[in-house]
Amino acid sequence: MIDVKSTELKAIITTDIDLEHETCEDIENALAFSLSSVQCLPLERSGIALVYAEKHSDPLQIVKKLIRSSVRCHWVFPIYASCKSMYEEIKKCVMELLLLSNVSKPIKMVCRCRKRGWSIDSCSRLVKYIGSFLESLNIVVVDYKNPEYVLRLEIVNEITGLSFYHKTQEREFRMGRY
Protein backbone atom coordinates (compact mmCIF):
# COMPACT_ATOMS: atom_id res chain seq x y z
CA MET A 1 0.00 0.00 0.00
CA ILE A 2 1.24 3.48 -0.84
CA ASP A 3 1.80 6.03 1.90
CA VAL A 4 -1.09 8.47 1.36
CA LYS A 5 0.91 11.41 2.72
CA SER A 6 3.55 11.05 0.00
CA THR A 7 1.16 10.74 -2.97
CA GLU A 8 -1.33 13.00 -4.70
CA LEU A 9 -4.03 12.66 -7.33
CA LYS A 10 -2.22 13.11 -10.65
CA ALA A 11 -4.70 11.96 -13.31
CA ILE A 12 -8.35 11.13 -13.88
CA ILE A 13 -9.04 8.54 -16.54
CA THR A 14 -12.33 7.75 -18.24
CA THR A 15 -12.96 4.32 -19.70
CA ASP A 16 -15.85 2.00 -20.46
CA ILE A 17 -18.00 0.90 -17.55
CA ASP A 18 -16.76 -2.43 -16.16
CA LEU A 19 -13.26 -1.92 -17.65
CA GLU A 20 -11.98 0.09 -14.67
CA HIS A 21 -9.86 -2.74 -13.23
CA GLU A 22 -8.30 -3.63 -16.58
CA THR A 23 -7.55 0.04 -17.21
CA CYS A 24 -5.86 0.29 -13.81
CA GLU A 25 -3.72 -2.75 -14.62
CA ASP A 26 -2.66 -1.08 -17.88
CA ILE A 27 -1.87 2.16 -16.03
CA GLU A 28 0.17 0.54 -13.28
CA ASN A 29 2.11 -1.52 -15.86
CA ALA A 30 2.77 1.56 -18.01
CA LEU A 31 4.09 3.59 -15.08
CA ALA A 32 5.87 0.82 -13.13
CA PHE A 33 9.36 1.63 -14.43
CA SER A 34 9.11 5.41 -14.33
CA LEU A 35 7.53 5.99 -10.90
CA SER A 36 8.49 4.24 -7.70
CA SER A 37 5.03 4.62 -6.18
CA VAL A 38 1.92 4.71 -8.30
CA GLN A 39 -1.54 3.52 -7.46
CA CYS A 40 -4.59 3.38 -9.67
CA LEU A 41 -7.95 3.35 -7.94
CA PRO A 42 -10.78 1.94 -10.10
CA LEU A 43 -14.21 3.33 -9.27
CA GLU A 44 -16.39 0.34 -10.06
CA ARG A 45 -19.27 0.70 -12.51
CA SER A 46 -18.42 4.36 -13.12
CA GLY A 47 -15.99 4.29 -16.03
CA ILE A 48 -13.49 6.25 -13.91
CA ALA A 49 -10.02 5.50 -12.58
CA LEU A 50 -7.97 7.78 -10.33
CA VAL A 51 -4.18 7.75 -10.57
CA TYR A 52 -2.16 8.65 -7.47
CA ALA A 53 1.60 9.15 -7.66
CA GLU A 54 4.49 10.83 -5.89
CA LYS A 55 3.94 14.50 -5.01
CA HIS A 56 6.88 15.71 -7.09
CA SER A 57 5.80 13.85 -10.25
CA ASP A 58 4.56 15.93 -13.18
CA PRO A 59 0.92 15.15 -14.13
CA LEU A 60 1.49 16.07 -17.78
CA GLN A 61 4.43 13.65 -18.06
CA ILE A 62 2.30 10.90 -16.51
CA VAL A 63 -0.45 11.56 -19.05
CA LYS A 64 2.04 11.49 -21.94
CA LYS A 65 3.44 8.14 -20.77
CA LEU A 66 -0.05 6.69 -20.50
CA ILE A 67 -0.98 7.89 -23.98
CA ARG A 68 2.20 6.39 -25.48
CA SER A 69 1.42 3.11 -23.71
CA SER A 70 -2.03 2.78 -25.30
CA VAL A 71 -3.93 2.34 -22.05
CA ARG A 72 -7.53 1.20 -22.57
CA CYS A 73 -9.33 4.48 -21.94
CA HIS A 74 -11.11 7.42 -23.56
CA TRP A 75 -9.67 10.49 -21.80
CA VAL A 76 -6.62 11.02 -19.59
CA PHE A 77 -6.69 14.34 -17.74
CA PRO A 78 -3.67 15.64 -15.81
CA ILE A 79 -4.58 16.89 -12.34
CA TYR A 80 -2.50 19.78 -11.00
CA ALA A 81 -4.49 20.33 -7.82
CA SER A 82 -7.29 18.58 -5.96
CA CYS A 83 -9.63 19.45 -3.13
CA LYS A 84 -12.91 18.53 -1.50
CA SER A 85 -15.99 18.93 -3.69
CA MET A 86 -17.39 22.00 -1.96
CA TYR A 87 -17.91 25.43 -3.56
CA GLU A 88 -15.56 27.34 -1.23
CA GLU A 89 -12.85 24.67 -1.32
CA ILE A 90 -12.91 24.54 -5.12
CA LYS A 91 -12.82 28.35 -5.34
CA LYS A 92 -9.71 28.50 -3.11
CA CYS A 93 -8.02 25.69 -4.99
CA VAL A 94 -8.72 27.29 -8.38
CA MET A 95 -7.44 30.67 -7.21
CA GLU A 96 -4.20 29.12 -5.90
CA LEU A 97 -3.68 27.16 -9.10
CA LEU A 98 -4.17 30.20 -11.33
CA LEU A 99 -2.12 32.56 -9.18
CA LEU A 100 0.79 30.10 -9.13
CA SER A 101 0.68 29.60 -12.90
CA ASN A 102 3.25 31.38 -15.06
CA VAL A 103 0.53 32.77 -17.32
CA SER A 104 0.17 36.55 -17.45
CA LYS A 105 -2.98 37.89 -15.83
CA PRO A 106 -5.78 38.38 -16.66
CA ILE A 107 -6.06 34.93 -18.20
CA LYS A 108 -8.41 34.60 -21.15
CA MET A 109 -10.02 31.25 -20.38
CA VAL A 110 -13.05 29.04 -20.28
CA CYS A 111 -14.00 26.66 -17.50
CA ARG A 112 -15.18 23.13 -18.32
CA CYS A 113 -16.76 21.01 -15.66
CA ARG A 114 -17.76 17.37 -15.47
CA LYS A 115 -19.74 16.18 -12.46
CA ARG A 116 -19.88 12.57 -11.33
CA GLY A 117 -21.69 12.12 -8.05
CA TRP A 118 -23.85 14.28 -5.82
CA SER A 119 -21.34 16.46 -3.97
CA ILE A 120 -21.94 19.50 -6.20
CA ASP A 121 -25.47 20.43 -7.25
CA SER A 122 -24.68 21.90 -10.67
CA CYS A 123 -21.61 22.37 -12.84
CA SER A 124 -23.08 25.46 -14.49
CA ARG A 125 -23.68 27.12 -11.09
CA LEU A 126 -20.20 26.23 -9.93
CA VAL A 127 -18.60 27.59 -13.12
CA LYS A 128 -20.56 30.86 -12.86
CA TYR A 129 -19.67 31.18 -9.17
CA ILE A 130 -15.94 30.66 -9.77
CA GLY A 131 -15.84 32.69 -12.99
CA SER A 132 -17.52 35.75 -11.52
CA PHE A 133 -15.28 35.62 -8.44
CA LEU A 134 -12.08 35.39 -10.51
CA GLU A 135 -13.25 38.13 -12.90
CA SER A 136 -13.97 40.43 -9.96
CA LEU A 137 -10.32 40.01 -8.89
CA ASN A 138 -9.06 40.64 -12.47
CA ILE A 139 -7.37 37.24 -12.52
CA VAL A 140 -9.34 35.96 -15.52
CA VAL A 141 -11.50 37.08 -18.39
CA VAL A 142 -14.07 34.39 -19.15
CA ASP A 143 -14.25 33.91 -22.92
CA TYR A 144 -16.49 31.15 -24.28
CA LYS A 145 -15.81 31.82 -27.98
CA ASN A 146 -12.04 32.20 -28.16
CA PRO A 147 -10.30 31.23 -24.91
CA GLU A 148 -6.53 30.83 -24.70
CA TYR A 149 -6.65 28.50 -21.69
CA VAL A 150 -8.96 25.88 -20.25
CA LEU A 151 -9.66 25.31 -16.57
CA ARG A 152 -11.13 21.82 -16.20
CA LEU A 153 -12.98 20.76 -13.07
CA GLU A 154 -13.36 17.00 -12.79
CA ILE A 155 -15.73 16.31 -9.90
CA VAL A 156 -15.67 12.69 -8.77
CA ASN A 157 -17.84 12.27 -5.68
CA GLU A 158 -16.07 14.10 -2.80
CA ILE A 159 -12.91 14.92 -4.78
CA THR A 160 -12.47 17.63 -7.38
CA GLY A 161 -9.44 17.50 -9.65
CA LEU A 162 -8.27 20.64 -11.44
CA SER A 163 -6.45 20.91 -14.75
CA PHE A 164 -5.23 24.13 -16.30
CA TYR A 165 -3.77 24.03 -19.81
CA HIS A 166 -3.55 25.84 -23.12
CA LYS A 167 -6.57 25.13 -25.31
CA THR A 168 -4.42 23.46 -27.97
CA GLN A 169 -3.35 20.76 -25.49
CA GLU A 170 -6.85 19.36 -24.99
CA ARG A 171 -6.72 17.09 -28.02
CA GLU A 172 -3.64 15.43 -26.52
CA PHE A 173 -5.72 14.06 -23.64
CA ARG A 174 -8.10 12.13 -25.90
CA MET A 175 -7.06 8.55 -26.50
CA GLY A 176 -7.70 6.79 -29.75
CA ARG A 177 -10.21 4.00 -29.74
CA TYR A 178 -8.62 1.02 -28.00
Side-chain angles (χ1 to χ4, degrees), residues 103-114:
V103 178
S104 61
K105 315 300 186 273
I107 302 167
K108 191 174 168 184
M109 65 165 229
V110 66
C111 183
R112 296 202 175 110
C113 177
R114 179 149 310 142

Side-chain angles (χ1 to χ4, degrees), residues 85 113-116 120 126 153-157 159-160:
S85 295
C113 177
R114 179 149 310 142
K115 176 177 98 90
R116 299 170 185 93
I120 295 294
L126 177 62
L153 306 174
E154 289 288 328
I155 302 165
V156 181
N157 299 325
I159 299 171
T160 298

Side-chain angles (χ1 to χ4, degrees), residues 14-69:
T14 64
T15 188
D16 289 334
I17 292 176
D18 290 332
L19 272 185
E20 300 89 358
H21 287 281
E22 290 85 350
T23 298
C24 277
E25 286 177 19
D26 291 350
I27 290 166
E28 289 176 348
N29 289 336
L31 299 175
F33 296 109
S34 58
L35 295 171
S36 61
S37 61
V38 63
Q39 181 181 26
C40 182
L41 178 65
L43 303 181
E44 297 200 18
R45 306 243 352 111
S46 69
I48 302 292
L50 306 177
V51 178
Y52 291 86
E54 302 147 350
K55 286 185 180 186
H56 61 75
S57 55
D58 179 15
L60 189 56
Q61 293 306 315
I62 291 172
V63 167
K64 287 179 179 181
K65 285 177 187 170
L66 293 176
I67 289 170
R68 282 192 305 264
S69 300

Side-chain angles (χ1 to χ4, degrees), residues 85-170:
S85 295
M86 297 168 43
Y87 275 73
E88 287 300 313
E89 291 290 322
I90 296 169
K91 180 176 81 172
K92 283 193 287 187
C93 199
V94 166
M95 191 168 65
E96 273 183 41
L97 179 65
L98 295 180
L99 289 175
L100 293 175
S101 73
N102 294 331
V103 178
S104 61
K105 315 300 186 273
I107 302 167
K108 191 174 168 184
M109 65 165 229
V110 66
C111 183
R112 296 202 175 110
C113 177
R114 179 149 310 142
K115 176 177 98 90
R116 299 170 185 93
W118 300 103
S119 295
I120 295 294
D121 60 342
S122 164
C123 265
S124 58
R125 273 194 208 135
L126 177 62
V127 167
K128 287 176 187 174
Y129 174 73
I130 290 171
S132 63
F133 174 73
L134 294 173
E135 280 185 320
S136 73
L137 297 176
N138 290 325
I139 296 172
V140 303
V141 173
V142 176
D143 186 346
Y144 293 102
K145 294 187 189 230
N146 193 23
E148 291 179 31
Y149 291 89
V150 176
L151 172 68
R152 178 170 288 282
L153 306 174
E154 289 288 328
I155 302 165
V156 181
N157 299 325
E158 309 81 37
I159 299 171
T160 298
L162 283 70
S163 288
F164 180 67
Y165 49 86
H166 195 273
K167 71 175 182 179
T168 58
Q169 285 183 290
E170 191 160 48

